[in-house]
Amino acid sequence: MKFFIDTANVDAIRKAHERGMVDGVTTNPSLVAKEGRNFREIIDEIASFVDGPISLEVVSEDAQGMIEEARELNGWIDNAAIKIPMTWEGLKAVKVLSEEDIHTNVTLCFSANQALLAAKAGASFISPFIGRLDDVGKTGMQLVDEIVQIYMNYGYETEVIVASIRHPMHVLEAAYIGADIATIPPSVLEKMVNHPLTDVGIERFLADWKKAKK
Ligand code: E4P
């Protein structure tokens, strides 16, 4: 399973990278705005140490605008995946971009039919937003299950990025289902290593070691 880091905070990405947990990065306009820094500068810095796909999102709403923006963003770094919103205009853009070998990540996916359309358009990645579905009383992870099954039925190569992850159980469930990728916020990654019995165990070993003959 690949781990992407869902943030535009370069320090947090670096920390996860030093721990060997970064196969890629996803950003979005909200995450970039939170940093209060220049978009290009952030992306250049991330690309200086991350080899895997880095998602950069377009903000145009029409296909032509998205295509032009995508071409420009794709020129910034070698490993860009251009995030395109899940609309008909977005799908038209994905089709053109995939023919130009520009990698795309179709974002804001909330149904299996949307994921099917994205795969048919030639998307490199699809991003179902799990946490946001949970927020409105749906079981977000069921969508991941459906998409993985549908893509398997037809051998689509579009990779499934489980997005809008809110807690470690989301990552675990995504792994059980066999999703290709989880894009994980740094705070969730941090929690994944924790177990109280590990802490107690270390404490006990160290205490006993003090009493051991050396
Ligand atoms: C994914 O690509 C998105 O950036 C992200 O997962 C959205 O998460 P949110 O619903 O917590 O904003």
Side-chain angles (χ1 to χ4, degrees):
M1 186 185 204
K2 284 178 271 187
F3 281 7
F4 288 3
I5 303 299
D6 194 27
T7 184
N9 184 285
V10 180
D11 290 339
I13 298 165
R14 207 181 287 281
K15 190 170 168 187
H17 181 257
E18 282 164 5
R19 292 170 167 178
M21 295 296 154
V22 181
D23 299 308
V25 172
T26 51
T27 67
N28 64 38
S30 309
L31 292 172
V32 171
K34 217 163 93 184
E35 296 307 307
R37 297 182 53 199
N38 176 271
F39 186 25
R40 174 87 197 249
E41 237 174 65
I42 293 177
I43 297 302
D44 282 343
E45 258 183 62
I46 299 172
S48 70
F49 62 95
V50 172
D51 296 330
I54 300 171
S55 283
L56 295 78
E57 191 157 340
V58 298
V59 288
S60 299
E61 291 180 81
D62 63 298
Q64 197 47 40
M66 288 183 204
I67 291 166
E68 279 159 26
E69 241 189 281
R71 285 176 183 148
E72 196 201 321
L73 295 175
N74 191 57
W76 287 4
I77 54 174
D78 291 337
N79 45 343
I82 310 301
K83 262 184 161 176
I84 307 277
M86 180 65 241
T87 60
W88 283 120
E89 287 300 297
L91 292 171
K92 271 156 59 181
V94 167
K95 177 97 186 118
V96 171
L97 294 168
S98 74
E99 280 160 8
E100 294 179 15
D101 279 334
I102 294 180
H103 292 145
T104 53
N105 172 359
V106 174
T107 189
L108 292 166
C109 169
F110 294 98
S111 81
N113 267 337
Q114 290 181 330
L116 182 54
L117 295 174
K120 278 194 75 67
S124 321
F125 302 101
I126 182 73
S127 290
F129 275 38
I130 299 320
R132 293 193 196 185
L133 277 170
D134 289 355
D135 288 346
V136 296
K138 306 277 178 204
T139 308
M141 207 50 72
Q142 197 180 325
L143 172 60
V144 175
D145 209 3
E146 289 168 8
I147 299 171
V148 167
Q149 180 64 54
I150 290 167
Y151 283 7
M152 218 159 57
N153 289 349
Y154 296 100
Y156 282 122
E157 284 175 11
T158 305
E159 290 186 85
V160 180
I161 305 181
V162 179
S164 188
I165 281 178
R166 300 280 159 78
H167 48 71
M169 276 307 288
H170 274 155
V171 182
L172 189 59
E173 286 163 15
Y176 270 134
I177 291 169
D180 302 288
I181 302 151
T183 188
I184 310 174
S187 59
V188 174
L189 181 67
E190 198 62 40
K191 287 181 197 152
M192 284 172 65
V193 80
N194 294 339
H195 198 290
L197 290 179
T198 304
D199 300 338
V200 169
I202 291 172
E203 233 173 78
R204 200 172 296 161
F205 281 148
L206 291 179
D208 288 344
W209 186 243
K210 278 188 192 148
K211 296 180 231 151
K213 276 195 182 157
K214 289 162 216 139

